[in-house]
Amino acid sequence: MKKLVFVGLILVGFSGFSQKKIWFDTDIMIGNPDRAPREVDDAITLMMALKFQDKIKIEGISLVTYVDYAYGITEKMLKWYAPNLNIPIYKGSDSCNDVGVENDATRALAKALKKEKLTILALGPATNVATVLKNHPELAS
């Protein structure tokens, strides 16, 4: 719940500015029978962010843990709540024990950060973000 309040405050804080570009890094697992099926925090956070698309622009979503399941759920959510936005989704670290190992998510995040500064909302284990920082320390700022 604290995460949702914090993200809500971040999103409201963007209201006085032009559209802020963000990157979601998430372990979205809502409904996953292998985990606590009611793990809803990341899904609700994504839904909230999609409601603020006049204030923020989600440049990409990277997934961490249970990435195959998370991909399907995230794809469904985007079809339901943002069918015209074409937000790309990338599979990242599935195990969280592989900091430094490149994957689709880390390559996409590094490429996006080379293009422009982004605010990263890391909602789960920060393995993807840590990999980008380890392999591309020049992108830390």
Side-chain angles (χ1 to χ4, degrees):
M1 185 62 162
K2 290 179 186 176
K3 185 187 325 184
L4 293 177
V5 171
F6 176 71
V7 171
L9 291 173
I10 289 173
L11 296 175
V12 170
F14 291 151
S15 62
F17 303 97
S18 62
Q19 199 176 36
K20 182 83 171 174
K21 294 183 179 186
I22 66 169
W23 185 279
F24 260 73
D25 186 68
T26 176
D27 65 338
I28 195 164
M29 292 186 274
I30 187 170
N32 187 334
D34 293 341
R35 298 279 300 176
R38 292 180 286 281
E39 191 168 320
V40 300
D41 56 334
D42 291 35
I44 292 172
T45 303
L46 178 57
M47 285 187 289
M48 288 172 55
L50 292 169
K51 287 294 221 180
F52 286 92
Q53 283 298 296
D54 59 326
K55 300 187 180 14
I56 64 170
K57 181 176 185 220
I58 301 173
E59 292 291 322
I61 299 173
S62 51
L63 306 171
V64 60
T65 68
Y66 295 88
V67 296
D68 291 329
Y69 179 84
Y71 190 91
I73 291 296
T74 305
E75 190 173 51
K76 284 179 187 176
M77 288 185 65
L78 293 177
K79 284 180 184 175
W80 293 336
Y81 298 105
N84 300 321
L85 293 182
N86 299 317
I87 300 169
I89 309 166
Y90 303 96
K91 292 180 183 178
S93 173
D94 200 40
S95 68
C96 297
N97 295 327
D98 54 356
V99 172
V101 177
E102 293 285 344
N103 55 53
D104 290 344
T106 60
R107 285 186 287 274
L109 178 55
K111 182 178 178 181
L113 289 170
K114 288 176 184 175
K115 181 180 165 189
E116 61 191 333
K117 284 190 175 192
L118 300 168
T119 298
I120 300 171
L121 295 179
L123 304 176
T127 310
N128 295 329
V129 176
T131 295
V132 171
L133 291 173
K134 179 178 182 181
N135 297 350
H136 308 278
E138 72 281 4
L139 299 175
S141 64

